[in-house]
Amino acid sequence: MQQKLNDFINENKSMLQEEMKTHMHNLDIPVRLKKSMLYSIEAGGKRLRPILLLAGFKAYGTNMKKVLSTAIALEMIHTYSLVHDDLPAMDDDDLRRGQPTNHKVFDDATAILAGDALLTYSFELITNDSYLSDAQKVYITKLLAEASGPKGMVAGQILDMEAEKKEITLQELETIHTLKTGELLRFAIRSGAYIGQATDTQVEYLDEFAYYLGLIFQVQDDILDVTGDPDKIGKPVGSDEANQKNTYPKLLGLDGAIEKKQYYVKMAKNALKNANAEISYLMLLTDYFSNRDY
C-alpha cells in the first residue's frame, strides 16, 4: 500500500509541476514578474495540498481532468503565501525549499507582486475551467476565497504573528493552525470530494477529517523543527524556537506533542470511516502526513 501511495504522489506531483509551469510560460506578462513567479513555482515542494485535493476527488470520482485547474489554483495560493511569509516584514527567511527565498533573488517589491499575481491568477484559472459548471465555479471560488482570506489562512497568519513572544494555550495554538494551515487543507479535501459528487453527509465527515489532518500536519512540522534533518526540510532546525514561536513541543514537550499527534490521527481515521472513505488515498495520506520527515 505504501508503494501505491508513493506512486500516486510522485506521478501527480510531476504532472502538477509540468501543468503549473505550462500555465506560467503561456502568460503574456512582464518578464521580471514571470521570472519571479516561475522561480517559486519551479522551486518544487511537497505539493501536498493539490495531491490531497486529487485524493479527495478519487475517493468518489474518476475523471481527474475535472479537478486539475482547481488543484493548480490551490498550489499557486499556497506558493504565494510562502513568498509573502518569507519577506523581511514577516518571517524574514533566507531559504525556502533549500534555495534562496524569492525576495533574496529578486527584491522585496517584486516578491510581493509575484505573490499578488499568483493569488489572483488562481481564481482566473478556476473561472476559466471548461470542465466545471457555472454553479461549481461559484461554489469553489467562494470556498477558496474563504479558506485563503481574512476568515481563513490570512487570519491564522496574523494570529500567529501576534502570538510570537507570548504565552498562549493549546486551544489558542490549535485555532491558529486550523486557520493558517488547516483551512487550505479543508478546501483541498472538500472541493475534491464535491467535484467527485460526494454526498452532503460525506462532505460533513470529510470536514471533520480535514480539521484533524491540518493539526496532524502542523504538529509534525513542529516536531521536525526540533528533530528534523535540515537537508530534507530545506531550512535550519530550531527556527521556531529562535523566533520565539508557539509550537506543540514548546507547550507539551516533544513526547507530549507526539502523543497529541497520535490522538489527532485516531480522530482523523474515524472521520474517514464515517465518510465511507476508509479505503482511499486519504487514509494512506493520513499516515504519510503523520510520519513524513520533510
Side-chain angles (χ1 to χ4, degrees):
M1 295 301 287
Q2 184 59 47
Q3 187 57 49
K4 181 181 179 181
L5 177 62
N6 289 340
D7 290 343
F8 178 77
I9 291 172
N10 292 332
E11 289 170 9
N12 286 300
K13 185 176 175 181
S14 298
M15 179 269 293
L16 288 163
Q17 184 73 9
E18 289 306 310
E19 287 289 335
M20 284 192 292
K21 286 166 62 177
T22 298
H23 279 289
M24 289 289 100
H25 282 295
N26 288 340
L27 282 176
D28 183 15
I29 59 177
V31 173
R32 185 171 179 82
L33 178 62
K34 181 184 286 191
K35 285 183 177 179
S36 182
M37 294 168 71
L38 270 168
Y39 178 78
S40 290
I41 289 293
E42 292 179 336
K46 297 179 281 289
R47 309 302 188 206
L48 292 179
R49 288 157 187 81
I51 286 171
L52 265 176
L53 193 152
L54 299 180
F57 175 80
K58 287 286 286 182
Y60 306 98
T62 54
N63 185 3
M64 296 275 273
K65 291 180 179 179
K66 292 183 177 180
V67 287
L68 186 55
S69 289
T70 304
I72 293 170
L74 172 60
E75 186 62 12
M76 287 184 175
I77 285 185
H78 174 58
T79 302
Y80 119 76
S81 74
L82 300 182
V83 173
H84 282 192
D85 273 354
D86 291 336
L87 290 165
M90 298 279 282
D91 290 344
D92 195 17
D93 282 325
D94 295 336
L95 292 176
R96 169 68 65 180
R97 295 166 177 164
Q99 299 181 29
T101 46
N102 195 298
H103 68 277
K104 288 291 181 181
V105 176
F106 297 91
D107 53 59
D108 292 5
T110 303
I112 290 169
L113 292 171
D116 292 343
L118 287 166
L119 168 62
T120 49
Y121 183 53
S122 66
F123 291 102
E124 183 181 339
L125 276 175
I126 294 171
T127 55
N128 286 336
D129 189 352
S130 61
Y131 288 96
L132 298 177
S133 69
D134 289 344
Q136 287 175 321
K137 290 175 184 179
V138 170
Y139 178 83
I140 292 167
T141 300
K142 178 178 181 292
L143 204 64
L144 184 54
E146 291 174 346
S148 59
K151 294 189 288 185
M153 179 182 68
V154 174
Q157 288 172 319
I158 198 162
L159 290 175
D160 190 28
M161 289 169 55
E162 290 176 346
E164 288 181 17
K165 302 178 183 179
K166 295 180 182 177
E167 294 291 332
I168 66 171
T169 66
L170 178 61
Q171 184 176 1
E172 289 171 327
L173 184 64
E174 287 182 344
T175 297
I176 290 170
H177 293 316
T178 296
L179 294 170
K180 184 177 179 181
T181 303
E183 283 301 305
L184 281 187
L185 296 180
R186 175 176 173 264
F187 168 81
I189 295 160
R190 185 185 183 103
S191 62
Y194 164 77
I195 297 171
Q197 298 189 318
T199 67
D200 290 344
T201 300
Q202 288 168 333
V203 170
E204 285 181 16
Y205 281 120
L206 287 175
D207 261 356
E208 182 182 347
F209 164 73
Y211 170 77
Y212 287 111
L213 190 69
L215 294 175
I216 292 166
F217 183 89
Q218 191 58 53
V219 177
Q220 187 63 5
D221 242 18
D222 290 352
I223 291 170
L224 288 175
D225 191 69
V226 177
T227 66
D229 181 344
D231 291 334
K232 288 186 177 180
I233 63 177
K235 62 180 181 179
V237 297
S239 61
D240 288 340
E241 183 178 359
N243 292 326
Q244 299 184 49
K245 285 183 173 290
N246 288 281
T247 66
Y248 283 87
K250 180 180 178 181
L251 291 180
L252 304 175
L254 184 58
D255 289 342
I258 293 170
E259 183 178 346
K260 179 61 71 172
K261 181 184 68 172
Q262 291 168 343
Y263 167 76
Y264 293 152
V265 169
K266 177 182 176 181
M267 297 301 290
K269 289 184 175 181
N270 186 59
L272 275 184
K273 292 175 184 176
N274 290 330
N276 297 322
E278 185 175 2
I279 302 174
S280 67
Y281 287 113
L282 292 174
M283 183 65 79
L284 298 177
L285 281 163
T286 304
D287 290 325
Y288 178 85
F289 269 45
S290 176
N291 299 321
R292 65 191 173 88
D293 60 1
Y294 66 96

